[in-house]
Amino acid sequence: MADHHEWHVDGMDCPSCAGKIRGALERLPGVEDIRVSVINETLSLSLDGSRISPERVTATVRQLGYQATPSSETPPDPAAEEETRSRWYATGKGRLALASGGALAAATLLRLFTDETLAYWGFFAACLVGLVPIARRALTSARAGMPFTIEMLMTIAAGGALIIGAAGEAALVILLFSVGEILEGVAADRARAGIRSLADLVPRSARLETAPGETRTVDAAHLKVGQVVVVRPGDRIPADGAILEGRSAIDESPVTGESVPRSKDVDDAVHAGSINHDAVLRIRVTRPPEDNTIARIIRLVEEAQEARAPTERFIDRFSRIYMPVVVGIAVLVAVVPPLAVGGGWSEWVYRALALLLIGCPCALVISVPASIASALSVGTRRGLLLKGGAVIEATARASVVAFDKTGTLTAGQPVVTDVVAVDAAGDADAVATLAASLEQGSSHPLAEAILQHARTRGLSLTRVSESKAIAGHGVEGRIDSCRVCVVSPRYAAEQGVLPEPLRSRIAALEAAGKTVVVVVDGDTAIGLIALRDEPRQDAIEGVRALEAMGVRALMLTGDNPRTAASIAGAIGLEHRAGLLPDDKVTMIRELVARERVMMVGDGINDAPALAASHVGVAMGSGTDVALETADGALLRNRVSDVAAMIGLARETMANIRQNIVIALGLKGVFLITTVLGITGLWLAILADTGATVLVTLNALRLLRARSGAEASQSPAQGEALASGAPARA
């Protein structure tokens, strides 16, 4: 029977670290379902207790040079962990660098004040101080079936340098390698910082209501579904919930990236980490702390880190071939010149050792995941969730974006656009009052829109008796014994209460894509009300931004052609109307056959079309569907964020290409200079460390840079999950 176990692992700075741990553990008996998260610094797996103990796993990981602590023993204290990260010299890699540096400094002093022989042994000892731990990690990896690691190359290079008498350079190489590992760790922590800061947005304490008017402070992590918390103005909301009492402006920027506070009233949903601005709120907890919106976003981003892009998988396969080839070339450089042309063994062995250091693929291997990690972090801050490197790569290649209409390009809620009285001198408010009075208590979207219009106008509604629905046509009732109704134009015409002047007005309104109802008082039509699901305010700007990026926009809808043409014309994009869900899938498949397609929908009714596209993106402010379906989500519900997402993806892929050029370019230059004898051991390791640091710093630029879509918008609008499933082909 396999049991699940978890560890917190310090010192993992790149996917290569995770690969070493995974490779070593896969060879142990009774170990299954290994998952290593670099961004979260965790290891989880299943163990067959009859074949292997958790202690052996811990020992194996530690032999590889990482500090592994079972999560059940000492749960990491976030405050203490953050303090440790800020003190690099307190880490294992920091202590190794300090020890190597101190030993090298002591050896240098010996050279200055004693003879060369004593100084040589001082450098020899200084080299061993740093080399022994590295060699131990190299042997552990080799026993696990991974002989071609950076530690093994370092061990061979430094050990060979000692043998040929270059102890001083060997000690310097070890120090530079240790310093490079520290810099990699610092850079990796910078990439993690954006994700870790999300967890800090949720307050650690909450004011739990224990009785009416009475509260006590409790740990927010222990809140239960159904409990009621009190949130004062200026406080952060401690849990996902629904407002029971109070009305206030809520700043949701920590969750959605939306900088403008939204007014929230009774029964409205609120997210953990949001900031209450105006009034005291009583909120009923609707989700446990471990499953609140921010916790899910963090989990989705962590999982997305494990979804590797096709480019990353190619680089990984390439590096597995690249390292043995470099070792083979180094052997030839060491052996062929002395045997073939009588070159000096010491000189050519030295060049071969330097070549080994040049061949370290660290910078190349980290070039893709470093950029992906930065993109996921900055995307999350901007309300753009991209579920892994494969999705980022597919998004960058998108050439056409297909939008659902209702709830995506439009708000999904009809609004009253026109109220028309029969007589030019008639009272439009009287028409709206009668209609709203009849619609009281109805949950139909058109009824809610009419009631909202009446509330906005401040109209006083009249009591209606004997109210009932007219199936498929509208609603009727009585006011002071007089029959009144709100019905469709067709029904009004059938009842003979629709005068000719209204018929032409109805035709004009319907031609504009509006839904029209007739308000009837007794046997007389007194007016019309026109409603329409209006385009989102940023829809036009969002489509224009896509066009500026060379991406075609297309609207797919089940609405009638007249309404679809009206909405599409107002926004400025192509459209296909009258489509059933199956028709949308067929349309997407036709597009996929010749173009790279992104489908944007509400994540519910459009699921089949989202699945059929190369990249499916859900609209939704932190809803379950938006977070857990499709390949990405737009948390701010903005059409303009589609262009921002594509812009970020394109910038990320450009950053990856830059990183690959940096990594291979530096290695190519120093490969030639090393073989020619121009550069030596310490410059070789400096080039390798420098390339790694440059690649990481270049990736971190994504954390500060604006996306391409932002640059193309005026004003700027654009500011990264799920399963980490790869984008669909």
Side-chain angles (χ1 to χ4, degrees):
M1 183 70 178
D3 297 321
H4 186 75
H5 295 268
E6 292 187 3
W7 286 260
H8 181 78
V9 183
D10 285 325
M12 289 193 296
D13 300 326
C14 68
S16 292
C17 301
K20 291 174 193 172
I21 294 173
R22 188 182 297 107
L25 296 180
E26 284 174 347
R27 291 178 169 264
L28 297 179
V31 177
E32 300 174 352
D33 194 24
I34 302 170
R35 300 193 67 179
V36 185
S37 172
V38 176
I39 193 70
N40 206 30
E41 294 181 292
T42 57
L43 162 67
S44 65
L45 46 77
S46 298
L47 290 182
D48 183 348
S50 64
R51 305 176 64 191
I52 188 172
S53 67
E55 289 73 21
R56 185 174 174 188
V57 172
T58 302
T60 301
V61 175
R62 288 177 176 172
Q63 287 172 3
L64 292 170
Y66 307 100
Q67 186 60 42
T69 306
S71 299
S72 58
E73 290 182 11
T74 53
D77 177 13
E81 191 176 353
E82 190 62 34
E83 183 179 356
T84 301
R85 292 179 190 279
S86 63
R87 294 184 287 112
W88 61 267
Y89 50 84
T91 65
K93 292 179 179 179
R95 289 192 294 268
L96 178 60
L98 289 175
S100 297
L104 183 60
T108 303
L109 290 176
L110 285 176
R111 170 175 283 179
L112 293 175
F113 298 106
T114 63
D115 59 76
E116 284 293 326
T117 301
L118 189 59
Y120 173 82
W121 289 110
F123 283 116
F124 193 97
C127 179
L128 291 181
V129 167
L131 181 59
V132 169
I134 295 172
R136 186 183 301 120
R137 286 150 53 185
L139 291 175
T140 300
S141 297
R143 284 197 295 268
M146 297 176 291
F148 297 106
T149 61
I150 175 62
E151 288 82 6
M152 181 61 76
L153 297 185
M154 283 297 307
T155 300
I156 296 172
L162 291 178
I163 293 173
I164 64 175
E169 284 195 73
L172 182 58
V173 164
I174 294 295
L175 175 61
L176 290 173
F177 175 74
S178 301
V179 171
E181 286 202 311
I182 292 174
L183 293 176
E184 287 177 24
V186 171
D189 277 338
R190 284 287 303 279
R192 295 186 185 109
I195 306 303
R196 290 201 304 266
S197 64
L198 285 175
D200 297 334
L201 295 174
V202 180
R204 300 191 184 281
S205 61
R207 297 171 63 87
L208 178 66
E209 184 177 86
T210 55
E214 297 182 12
T215 63
R216 64 184 174 90
T217 301
V218 300
D219 188 340
H222 295 156
L223 290 173
K224 307 293 184 185
V225 173
Q227 291 182 324
V228 177
V229 294
V230 177
V231 183
R232 299 171 298 186
D235 288 350
R236 289 186 182 271
I237 296 171
D240 281 9
I243 297 176
L244 292 178
E245 182 180 319
R247 181 177 184 178
S248 181
I250 305 295
D251 178 4
E252 296 184 323
S253 58
V255 179
T256 66
E258 176 58 71
S259 59
V260 179
R262 298 180 60 188
S263 179
K264 296 276 187 172
D265 209 334
V266 174
D267 293 333
D268 285 341
V270 292
H271 304 300
S274 301
I275 303 169
N276 178 26
H277 272 261
D278 301 330
V280 175
L281 297 176
R282 292 178 64 243
I283 298 172
R284 179 175 58 85
V285 178
T286 56
R287 284 186 178 277
E290 65 274 12
D291 197 37
N292 65 42
T293 300
I294 287 182
R296 283 182 290 147
I297 290 174
I298 293 172
R299 186 163 60 247
L300 296 175
V301 174
E302 289 169 357
E303 291 173 354
Q305 294 274 1
E306 300 172 15
R308 299 192 299 168
T311 301
E312 183 178 356
R313 291 195 293 269
F314 171 76
I315 292 294
D316 185 50
R317 292 194 300 269
F318 174 75
S319 64
R320 293 179 185 177
I321 301 171
Y322 167 81
M323 287 187 71
V325 169
V326 168
V327 171
I329 293 174
V331 171
L332 293 176
V333 168
V335 174
V336 172
L339 294 179
V341 296
W345 282 98
S346 178
E347 176 187 356
W348 286 99
V349 167
Y350 178 88
R351 293 184 186 184
L353 295 175
L355 184 61
L356 282 179
L357 298 182
I358 289 294
C360 294
C362 287
L364 185 62
V365 171
I366 203 175
S367 60
V368 178
S371 298
I372 296 296
S374 294
L376 292 174
S377 179
V378 74
T380 302
R381 290 205 310 267
R382 295 171 178 172
L384 312 172
L385 291 185
L386 289 157
K387 301 175 185 179
V391 175
I392 290 176
E393 191 162 331
T395 300
R397 298 169 60 193
S399 59
V400 59
V401 176
F403 290 95
D404 171 54
K405 181 182 78 69
T406 305
T408 303
L409 289 173
T410 66
Q413 297 177 334
V415 296
V416 173
T417 59
D418 303 86
V419 180
V420 181
V422 170
D423 298 325
D427 186 355
D429 281 351
V431 175
T433 299
L434 190 150
S437 298
L438 266 172
E439 299 288 9
Q440 292 180 87
S442 174
S443 60
H444 192 281
L446 296 183
E448 292 178 350
I450 292 171
L451 286 166
Q452 180 59 43
H453 174 77
R455 284 193 289 266
T456 302
R457 300 281 297 174
L459 304 179
S460 298
L461 305 188
T462 303
R463 182 177 177 275
V464 178
S465 61
E466 300 180 27
S467 180
K468 63 179 181 180
I470 304 174
H473 297 292
V475 62
E476 68 174 348
R478 289 189 175 276
I479 298 178
D480 297 332
S481 75
C482 182
R483 178 179 179 269
V484 292
C485 58
V486 177
V487 294
S488 67
R490 178 180 176 182
Y491 184 78
E494 290 174 353
Q495 298 300 310
V497 296
L498 188 63
E500 187 60 37
L502 285 184
R503 295 176 187 267
S504 59
R505 189 64 187 270
I506 290 171
L509 291 170
E510 289 183 339
K514 300 176 182 180
T515 298
V516 181
V517 295
V518 181
V519 182
V520 181
D521 186 356
D523 294 328
T524 306
I526 64 171
L528 308 173
I529 296 179
L531 307 94
R532 187 167 69 175
D533 186 7
E534 293 290 277
R536 294 180 183 273
Q537 292 184 353
D538 70 328
I540 296 175
E541 185 178 357
V543 170
R544 286 177 179 171
L546 288 171
E547 291 175 349
M549 301 171 70
V551 178
R552 186 163 63 95
L554 172 69
M555 183 180 79
L556 305 180
T557 178
D559 275 350
N560 64 75
R562 190 164 52 187
T563 299
S566 175
I567 295 293
I571 297 174
L573 77 170
E574 303 174 43
H575 72 280
R576 303 288 187 276
L579 301 177
L580 297 174
D582 288 347
D583 298 327
K584 287 186 180 181
V585 173
T586 301
M587 178 65 65
I588 290 294
R589 286 175 177 166
E590 290 177 1
L591 290 170
V592 164
R594 58 181 184 273
E595 299 188 68
R596 302 298 298 184
V597 181
M598 172 187 284
M599 173 69 191
V600 183
D602 62 12
I604 304 172
N605 299 326
D606 302 303
L610 292 173
S613 61
H614 291 111
V615 183
V617 176
M619 301 281 283
S621 298
T623 62
D624 286 346
V625 171
L627 290 176
E628 296 173 12
T629 64
D631 301 307
L634 305 175
L635 297 186
R636 295 191 298 187
N637 260 354
R638 290 184 177 180
V639 177
S640 55
D641 279 351
V642 176
M645 178 177 280
I646 294 175
L648 176 61
R650 289 182 177 180
E651 188 173 6
T652 302
M653 295 310 298
N655 191 275
I656 287 172
R657 288 190 289 270
Q658 293 165 5
N659 281 346
I660 293 173
V661 170
I662 291 171
L664 293 180
L666 277 176
K667 289 187 180 300
V669 170
F670 279 88
L671 180 67
I672 295 171
T673 57
T674 297
V675 173
L676 295 177
I678 300 173
T679 53
L681 281 175
W682 72 273
L683 275 177
I685 189 60
L686 187 61
D688 178 71
T689 300
T692 302
V693 172
L694 285 176
V695 161
T696 306
L697 292 178
N698 187 50
L700 291 177
R701 286 193 307 110
L702 288 170
L703 296 175
R704 297 187 298 273
R706 298 192 309 161
S707 74
E710 286 182 285
S712 69
Q713 296 177 26
S714 178
Q717 290 289 340
E719 288 270 61
L721 291 227
S723 59
R728 290 173 287 270

